[in-house]
Amino acid sequence: MATVNIYLTFNGNCKEAFDFYKSVFGGDYPYVGTFGEMPPQEGMAMTEEDKNRIMHISLPISKETLLMGSDTGGEWASSYQPGNNFSVSINADSKEEADKLFNGLSEDGRVTMPMNHTFWGAYFGMFSDKFGISWMVNYDDPAKAQQ
């Protein structure tokens, strides 16, 4: 069965916000990654400011719940507004479940990143549904995690 979490987006102050949330909820970050740690992408230049922005951070809230987030930057920054800075994140138990959820929920919506294998080893996609809600679908293949 898939799990659902909230994914927050910030405009340069993600780490500050998550440090605040951590001070309230407690716990530790299992992962904090910056855009500068991503593999280089052909034809894509990145400013020093963008390299230091958070690409992904997560904070466990309970056994079932993670608060996740990132900074926006580049072409995505122009559409950032406080209040539209979240997505519902689904972590599927299989690639088939990920495809089913992605295809069903994105019907008549707007796909911003089709389901595909990523450099971080997940099968991942993003879209806004026909009601304007932003979603992320992720499947972490255990076989790829061990490589």
Side-chain angles (χ1 to χ4, degrees):
M1 177 59 118
T3 58
V4 177
N5 294 290
I6 300 300
Y7 201 102
L8 305 173
T9 305
F10 298 89
N11 195 8
N13 61 341
C14 179
K15 183 67 166 61
E16 176 186 354
F18 268 74
D19 285 345
F20 169 72
Y21 302 143
K22 182 178 173 184
S23 76
V24 174
F25 290 109
D28 290 310
Y29 304 126
Y31 178 79
V32 178
T34 65
F35 284 104
E37 296 169 321
M38 290 175 34
Q41 297 182 1
E42 191 173 322
M44 298 281 292
M46 190 179 306
T47 67
E48 286 303 313
E49 179 185 353
D50 283 347
K51 286 180 182 178
N52 292 319
R53 288 178 177 239
I54 299 296
M55 179 197 68
H56 181 76
I57 189 170
S58 58
L59 178 64
I61 304 300
S62 71
K63 284 175 67 174
E64 300 83 19
T65 307
L66 285 173
L67 187 60
M68 297 181 286
S70 69
D71 281 313
T72 188
E75 65 187 67
W76 301 91
S78 62
S79 62
Y80 171 86
Q81 288 183 331
N84 78 349
N85 56 329
F86 71 94
S87 296
V88 180
S89 176
I90 301 172
N91 199 39
D93 286 336
S94 68
K95 184 177 183 289
E96 294 75 21
E97 182 182 37
D99 284 332
K100 176 184 178 235
L101 295 169
F102 185 93
N103 293 333
L105 290 167
S106 67
E107 186 175 332
D108 297 328
R110 185 175 63 87
V111 173
T112 53
M113 184 177 181
M115 292 300 294
N116 207 343
H117 296 280
T118 64
F119 71 85
W120 65 86
Y123 182 62
F124 179 82
M126 299 187 307
F127 61 92
S128 294
D129 69 19
K130 62 184 174 182
F131 302 104
I133 303 299
S134 296
W135 295 81
M136 300 172 162
V137 177
N138 186 81
Y139 169 60
D140 292 316
D141 185 344
K144 293 188 184 285
Q146 296 173 3
Q147 293 179 359

